[in-house]
Amino acid sequence: MVLGVVALSIVVAPLLATRVGIPGVIAEFLVGFIIGPYGLGLIRNEYEWLSFIGALGLVFLMFLAGLESDPEIIREDFKAIILVGAASFILPLTVGLAFALSTSLYSFVEAMLLAFLFSAGSAGVLIPILRRYADRRLVHIMIGGAIVDEVLSLLGMALIVSIFTPLIPGFPLPLQISPWGVALFVGEILIFLVIVRLLPKGIEKVIKKVGEKRVEEFEVRLTILLMLALVVVAEVLSFHAVIGAFLAGLALREAATVNPEFYDIVYPKITTIGYGLLIPVFFFTIGLKANITGLEAEALAAIALALALGLAFASKLAGGYVASIAAKLKRRDSIGVGFAMNVRLSVGIAIAEVGLSSRLIASNTYTLFVVISVVTTLVAALGLSRFMKVKPAVTEPEEELFICVLRGLKVELEDVDDTLHELLQMASRRRLTCDDIPVLNIKEKVSNREITLLLIREAVSRNLIEIKGNMILVTPKGEKFLRERGGGGGEGELTS
């Protein structure tokens, strides 16, 4: 019964979200809250298997957050992104700390974690929200700024968790500073740097050694092993699993620069596991735990919540806006950047989960963190879609298709299937991108050596290939198409 309700909820929630125009993860949280113990009471938060899947979902969420933190985005518009990231981190951090310390509701540690919640960014949640907007530079500045805030806020949270430990077992107030905390924090950073240095070559050696054995889904298994290994390292060093998962994602992203084929194979499959099951269940369980009615019952806590929401949103908006104006963006675009910087859902909830599980924050403070994360992200998403009215690009898969079509010219095909076979062979043998299209030579079947609108559209419409970002990937149906046609096709090649 419970399993069926959970499964139905995580399927229906994103469908409702697309109709309303909000991120799917927020819908999953809201459904969990509505049917949970503090809503309609249809499901209680007492099932160990559900908590386990939710905890694994958090690990995958933070792993994917690191994996999606592409340093190339920051390098593309370095000055503007650093300006936006720094301003939308420092101003909310200062405002959040001042607000928390000015009240008698929070301990010093809770105040510090609230400050990092104010300054948090969430690139993983922001990327799908921005996917339909056409201004490529503006989108990259928004994502780059979010990556900067994401990394800094998580490192800040890690530092707080590592240096403050409970004085006695049980609930931790008052707290004392652990003399080993800073040393452990620096030690994990050093371990991480060593791993980042060694991981790319290590992956390459393992893949080469496995070689022709063709172990089924070996790359995915290796990735999950690496992720869990760093999670264990983080736990051993008295950090939270969230930090290990995030660092594992960053390390694997760095490995992609040495072995892009490995990343291209792993990323779509890991995202399917994460966003297809584990992460939706995680946000559903967060909804089950959110006791919002408890905040409303206490007048002072309700006032503090309203103030915190306003200050968290306004400080991010102001920081993003001022920095964008300094980077010479238009006023309207600068407001959009301020809205985008308020997307903090995944990192905000991660801070709440770590604080609660580490016994550093009280349950009411946990709910406050969750509500701030959800509401500010919701307002930001609605603001970007309605207030900004940014000219939408062609919707997926048309958006990615359009990138390729721009590079295509006229086509003269004698046998579409034969030519598609050549394209799929090339895409399956090596990393094929849209940038390769102008110099593809498929047995001279395509005039001027260009893939055309007809060929690309045909392959996409038949679900033989999918285009993710700039990558052309063969789908399972495309692999079946190749097997059925056998190895009779010739060798496509790149020409200059």
Side-chain angles (χ1 to χ4, degrees), residues 116-309:
F116 284 117
L117 173 72
F118 270 44
S119 60
S122 184
V125 177
L126 183 61
I127 289 170
I129 294 174
L130 296 178
R131 206 169 268 161
R132 57 199 176 109
Y133 298 112
D135 190 330
R136 185 175 179 273
R137 183 186 179 229
L138 183 61
V139 166
H140 274 213
I141 289 173
M142 291 173 175
I143 294 172
I147 290 172
V148 171
D149 291 354
E150 184 174 61
V151 173
L152 291 177
S153 56
L154 283 171
L155 288 176
M157 177 197 72
L159 179 61
I160 295 301
V161 172
S162 67
I163 65 175
F164 289 99
T165 54
L167 184 62
I168 55 174
F171 197 75
L173 301 180
L175 298 169
Q176 66 175 358
I177 297 178
S178 164
W180 300 104
V182 176
L184 284 173
F185 180 76
V186 173
E188 175 151 295
I189 296 299
L190 291 175
I191 289 172
F192 164 66
L193 292 175
V194 171
I195 290 172
V196 169
R197 186 80 175 174
L198 299 177
L199 190 60
K201 292 182 180 178
I203 289 175
E204 199 170 17
K205 285 182 180 178
V206 172
I207 295 294
K208 194 177 289 185
K209 195 164 186 179
V210 173
E212 299 300 320
K213 295 179 182 177
R214 297 186 181 278
V215 178
E216 188 174 359
E217 302 295 357
F218 175 75
E219 294 87 354
V220 176
R221 299 182 192 195
L222 178 61
T223 300
I224 294 174
L225 174 64
L226 293 171
M227 176 186 72
L228 295 178
L230 273 181
V231 165
V232 171
V233 169
E235 291 282 359
V236 168
L237 293 176
S238 300
F239 280 74
H240 197 276
V242 160
I243 303 302
F246 183 72
L247 295 181
L250 287 177
L252 197 66
R253 183 77 206 200
E254 191 65 25
T257 59
V258 174
N259 196 331
E261 291 83 4
F262 178 78
Y263 177 84
D264 296 334
I265 291 170
V266 164
Y267 178 72
K269 294 177 180 178
I270 289 293
T271 53
T272 299
I273 297 170
Y275 290 113
L277 173 65
L278 300 176
I279 293 171
V281 172
F282 165 67
F283 281 104
F284 179 84
T285 59
I286 294 297
L288 294 180
K289 291 190 287 185
N291 184 11
I292 299 174
T293 54
L295 291 178
E296 294 174 352
E298 300 177 20
L300 189 58
I303 293 170
L305 171 61
L307 282 173
L309 277 171

Side-chain angles (χ1 to χ4, degrees), residues 101-124:
L101 292 178
S102 67
T103 72
S104 58
L105 296 174
Y106 313 108
S107 69
F108 176 74
V109 176
E110 287 178 318
M112 289 297 299
L113 289 176
L114 182 62
F116 284 117
L117 173 72
F118 270 44
S119 60
S122 184

